[in-house]
Amino acid sequence: MTDCSAHSRQTRIQHSFDAAEGYDAAALLQRVAARRLFDLLQARLGGRAPRRILEVGCGTGFLTQMLHDAWPEAELIATDIAPKMLERARNRVGKRVQFCEMDAARPDVAGPFDLICGNLVFQWLAEPAAVLQTLAERLTPGGVIAVSTLLDGTFAEWQNACAAEGLVAGTPEYPDARTVQGWQPRLSAGRWVAERCVQPFESGLAFVRHLKATGASVPREGIAALSPADLRRVMARFDASGALATWHLAYGCFQKPRRAGVFVTGTDTGVGKTLTSACFVQAWNALYWKPLQSGLADEEGDTATVIKLSGCLPEDCIPPAGAYQASLSPLAAAQAEGAQIDPARLALPLQNPERPMVVEGAGGLMVPATDTLMMLDLAEHWGLPVVLVARSGLGTLNHTLLSLEAMRARGLAVAGVVLSGPLNPENRKTIEEKGQVRILAELPQQEAVTPETVRTLRGLIPSWDAVCGGGESM
């Protein structure tokens, strides 16, 4: 779509919403979606009260009202492209909310915000992924962005009725679920969830009136409106099929990391996490934290190793929350000493938050950390983008792809993969393509690991700015 045609369509959409006088009475699913989105963003905030909120595409204020009721002391800026919608929202919520006319695709409100949200607005945007990233850049550290959209398959019954009459429905072409899964702010934790809702109508005429009343009657580009005769035939088909309309919705809720940094985990023990961490610490002038250390009876520990290899200052390394002698999982090693790991001590350190921190896990993602938490749970709690260290050779594909799948199922942001061992172009290509992930570095096999080794390997490590700017692949 050219800029000119996109602008023309946005103008038509604006006028359509301005003319939607019966929006409040007709917008049942919009209310349902607003409640669902509010519940998701409230859960992601985890009890924190946002002080500054931006809402895009507020419509007549369904979500606005919920936000204001939940956090009446917050500065809430509600925006919409349609002036008359803003007027109705103002009448609903009152003057304590600041209302502004704004196109969500061209946000011009200065941040930062603790919460940015928009209900059922992203399906109207020409470049939704870019808009989501632009908005997320206005978040505070730890801030949340929550949006919803319609998916492919919405109004399939009406489209089928049109097709049965040899006609093409003018309803919009919504993105499929796979495409939407790619709409994610860089290095932010979260995921999309989908749901299906079926809405009964009295008749096809009631459905058409519903679209007009909710401002959704603008046909997609290049499709002419149905003639009166064609419309009557399609409505009859729609009635015969039960006069039902299915809505497919997706909700995306993402949280910006509370500090700069990465969580380094591996596909298994001994894969090269500590060497990778030392390279990161030196290349990024980063802080280092090994939350749980075991095996001290057999080695000096990863914190001491990173200090020696990277040349960082001891004060740049946060002491472990738990350190144990046996070469076992942290949970088993603590139990062998009759100790307990206090989850409260595993809170992410937030000092000097703009300086990158390298947090090194113990073993792989499914290693027990406490009686109730695996390393994967801690990674989710910390909310840092994850670097997965994997072997480059035979057997790596299954372990690496399963680890990536487990992280994405939890909504973890994946900064990328570091391959450890002899160069293997075929495995690299497979992991990139099948895992839809960026290979951050390939660290060749080393006969001995010394400070000189780390100084050599640091040249293979991307800069911190490159990691932040490059984001997650797909």
Side-chain angles (χ1 to χ4, degrees):
M1 187 183 296
T2 66
D3 289 345
C4 183
S5 61
H7 179 72
S8 174
R9 176 166 173 76
Q10 285 300 100
T11 301
R12 293 165 66 200
I13 291 170
Q14 175 185 335
H15 291 163
S16 178
F17 278 111
D18 269 341
E21 297 288 347
Y23 186 93
D24 280 10
L28 174 63
L29 261 294
Q30 286 80 354
R31 292 176 187 269
V32 170
R35 169 53 62 181
R36 174 77 165 131
L37 184 65
F38 177 78
D39 290 343
L40 288 170
L41 69 86
Q42 195 173 39
R44 173 61 75 172
L45 284 167
R48 293 181 295 123
R51 293 172 295 179
R52 198 159 188 258
I53 305 170
L54 172 65
E55 183 187 2
V56 297
C58 69
T60 62
F62 296 149
L63 180 59
T64 317
Q65 185 72 66
M66 296 176 197
L67 296 169
H68 178 60
D69 289 347
W71 302 293
E73 301 304 317
E75 179 189 357
L76 172 54
I77 303 173
T79 69
D80 200 279
I81 195 173
K84 290 186 179 179
M85 283 286 190
L86 287 170
E87 183 180 340
R88 294 168 201 150
R90 185 181 291 108
N91 292 336
R92 175 193 299 277
V93 183
K95 296 181 179 180
R96 292 195 63 183
V97 173
Q98 180 181 343
F99 291 95
C100 301
E101 184 178 341
M102 186 186 83
D103 183 352
R106 297 173 179 83
D108 56 4
V109 179
F113 296 93
D114 304 300
L115 172 63
I116 298 176
C117 51
N119 183 46
L120 293 184
V121 63
F122 269 60
Q123 69 270 14
W124 300 110
L125 304 179
E127 298 182 0
V131 173
L132 187 63
Q133 178 61 39
T134 297
L135 290 171
E137 289 169 1
R138 287 168 166 77
L139 288 173
T140 58
V144 169
I145 184 166
V147 298
S148 59
T149 187
L150 295 177
L151 292 177
D152 183 42
T154 296
F155 306 146
E157 296 86 352
W158 181 259
Q159 294 159 4
N160 292 338
C162 288
E165 293 296 329
L167 302 167
V168 178
T171 50
E173 291 182 328
Y174 298 121
D176 59 32
R178 181 177 176 82
T179 298
V180 169
Q181 289 295 339
W183 302 352
Q184 296 202 15
R186 287 193 296 267
L187 303 187
S188 293
R191 60 194 178 100
W192 288 88
V193 294
E195 69 175 357
R196 172 178 172 270
C197 299
V198 179
Q199 184 175 5
F201 288 89
E202 292 182 1
S203 64
L205 179 59
F207 173 72
V208 172
R209 287 174 174 170
H210 167 84
L211 293 181
K212 185 174 182 180
T214 56
S217 58
V218 177
R220 70 178 185 268
E221 201 71 27
I223 302 297
L226 297 176
S227 70
D230 289 341
L231 183 60
R232 284 193 294 272
R233 297 203 319 272
V234 172
M235 289 191 297
R237 286 273 188 181
F238 185 78
D239 292 344
S241 69
L244 301 174
T246 299
W247 302 67
H248 292 267
L249 304 104
Y251 305 89
C253 196
F254 305 94
Q255 185 169 12
K256 186 174 181 176
R258 288 176 289 168
R259 65 160 304 124
V262 295
F263 171 65
V264 177
T265 189
T267 51
D268 59 309
T269 299
V271 72
K273 295 190 303 297
T274 303
L275 174 59
T276 299
S277 296
C279 291
F280 284 163
V281 167
Q282 187 175 100
W284 300 341
N285 186 31
L287 302 171
Y288 175 81
W289 185 41
K290 176 80 173 185
L292 295 171
Q293 174 71 65
S294 56
L296 291 175
D298 302 313
E299 58 183 32
E300 62 180 347
D302 294 334
T303 301
T305 300
V306 166
I307 292 173
K308 180 175 68 177
L309 292 178
S310 71
C312 71
L313 299 174
E315 53 264 35
D316 287 337
C317 294
I318 289 86
Y324 310 101
Q325 299 300 309
S327 296
L328 302 168
S329 72
L331 175 61
Q335 290 174 337
E337 297 179 19
Q340 287 189 332
I341 299 173
D342 181 4
R345 297 188 61 198
L346 295 172
L348 182 67
L350 297 178
Q351 61 262 45
N352 203 356
E354 294 184 359
R355 184 177 177 185
M357 173 182 285
V358 176
V359 180
E360 183 183 347
L365 292 167
M366 302 311 291
V367 168
T370 73
D371 287 331
T372 58
L373 298 173
M374 310 291 276
M375 291 305 303
L376 179 61
D377 299 309
L378 291 177
E380 182 179 13
H381 176 68
W382 291 325
L384 293 175
V386 180
V387 173
L388 178 66
V389 183
R391 302 182 194 281
S392 61
L394 184 66
T396 192
L397 297 181
N398 183 64
H399 293 158
T400 304
L401 296 178
L402 282 176
S403 294
L404 291 170
E405 184 176 334
M407 288 189 285
R408 287 179 173 138
R410 289 291 191 92
L412 274 64
V414 182
V417 169
V418 170
L419 292 175
S420 175
L423 297 180
N424 190 319
E426 191 60 35
N427 279 351
R428 174 186 174 128
K429 179 181 177 183
T430 301
I431 291 168
E432 282 180 317
E433 293 179 354
K434 301 300 183 184
Q436 295 290 279
V437 71
R438 176 185 178 190
I439 303 299
L440 292 176
E442 295 177 275
L443 303 184
Q445 191 85 33
Q446 303 296 316
E447 292 185 7
V449 178
T450 66
E452 289 72 23
T453 303
V454 171
R455 282 195 290 272
T456 300
L457 294 179
R458 67 167 288 177
L460 302 176
I461 302 296
S463 69
W464 174 246
D465 286 344
V467 172
C468 294
E472 181 179 6
S473 291
M474 314 222 179

